[in-house]
Amino acid sequence: MTDDAAPDLRASDADRERVAGILRDAVAEGRLDMAEFEERLDATYQARTYGELVPITRDLPAAGVVVPAVSLSKDPATGSDWPGRIVGGEGTSTWAVAVMSGFQRKGHWTMPRRFTCLAFWGGGEIDLREANFAEREVEINAIAIMGGVDVIVPPGVEVVVRGIGIMGGFDHREEGVPGEPGAPRVIVTGFALWGGVGVQRKLTRAEKQRLKEERRREKLERRNNGEY
């Protein structure tokens, strides 16, 4: 179908979802900033015809192809990506130290089988949301003395906390949540003296954006249905 083949034909929900998928890819690749992304996404869910959808992605990689052409189609959603994130090897790094300073391990990195860190009058962050894992079971040995270490894990990961705190503590709130099939198991051990080791479970930025889009879409659908 070309740009002017049938611009007045009504677009379906599936057509709008394909365009939204292209926009998500574009913002992830840096082709759109967040302001442009949100503006185009709003226009996508408000579009009624193919003619209204075409301009939204005309300057993106799928330029010149109108929904629902095959080149605009998103690949079907696959199952869990956990098996692909357990990659073996030694890991990106195996230790970190913060003395009156700080350290971070975040983004795309490989968590080793055992990671040891020390925070003395300082702080550290170990973010596993976008990490790969050397093995299915990994251990973080955190020592916090008058300082703190924050461990951030994504949903689906099993967490076990075995640390010891003296006038300090280890956060056990994320324990007991069953892991997804094939997901890593993260064991947090160590020692906290006048300090603490926290464990938080957070979504990635991409997942937060996906949920935001779903809420926006539901709101638009309710408005279009006259619910408010």
Side-chain angles (χ1 to χ4, degrees):
M1 184 180 295
T2 60
D3 282 3
D4 57 357
D8 296 328
L9 285 180
R10 301 285 287 189
S12 69
D13 288 340
D15 297 328
R16 285 183 281 270
E17 284 303 323
R18 291 188 187 99
V19 172
I22 294 171
L23 296 177
R24 284 192 290 270
D25 288 344
V27 74
E29 294 167 357
R31 300 179 191 276
L32 296 176
D33 61 29
M34 290 304 299
E36 292 174 311
F37 171 71
E38 292 182 359
E39 179 181 353
R40 295 193 191 199
L41 193 66
D42 285 338
T44 297
Y45 288 126
Q46 293 175 11
R48 291 289 175 268
T49 66
Y50 289 141
E52 293 172 339
L53 286 174
V54 170
I56 296 173
T57 58
R58 181 174 283 136
D59 60 346
L60 297 176
V65 183
V66 178
V67 174
V70 174
S71 61
L72 286 183
S73 298
K74 294 284 286 179
D75 291 332
T78 58
S80 170
D81 65 347
W82 289 121
R85 292 176 63 177
I86 301 175
V87 297
E90 299 298 323
T92 302
S93 64
T94 59
W95 61 276
V97 174
V99 178
M100 293 184 288
S101 61
F103 71 81
Q104 283 187 326
R105 296 293 185 274
K106 63 188 298 185
H108 296 287
W109 67 295
T110 299
M111 170 71 192
R113 183 184 65 81
R114 180 180 172 87
F115 184 88
T116 300
C117 58
L118 167 67
F120 178 72
W121 281 11
E125 179 182 87
I126 304 168
D127 190 338
L128 301 176
R129 288 177 292 176
E130 298 180 3
N132 291 325
F133 297 80
E135 295 187 12
R136 175 140 177 349
E137 182 172 288
V138 296
E139 179 181 341
I140 297 173
N141 182 39
I143 301 170
I145 301 175
M146 292 181 287
V149 175
D150 289 323
V151 178
I152 303 173
V153 301
V157 169
E158 180 185 1
V159 176
V160 178
V161 180
R162 298 174 180 166
I164 299 173
I166 299 177
M167 291 182 288
F170 277 71
D171 190 348
H172 290 258
R173 288 177 297 177
E174 296 302 332
E175 279 195 303
V177 179
E180 295 177 357
R185 185 173 189 243
V186 177
I187 301 174
V188 182
T189 65
F191 177 75
L193 174 65
W194 288 357
V197 176
V199 181
Q200 304 176 64
R201 195 180 300 273
K202 294 183 178 181
L203 298 172
T204 63
R205 179 183 177 186
E207 185 66 14
K208 289 179 180 178
Q209 186 61 45
R210 184 185 67 80
L211 294 175
K212 180 179 178 180
E213 292 171 26
E214 289 182 355
R215 288 194 293 268
R216 181 187 291 113
R217 183 171 62 251
E218 290 172 359
K219 182 177 179 180
L220 286 171
E221 289 175 351
R222 292 177 62 188
R223 181 183 299 164
N224 292 336
N225 292 334
E227 296 182 25
Y228 63 88

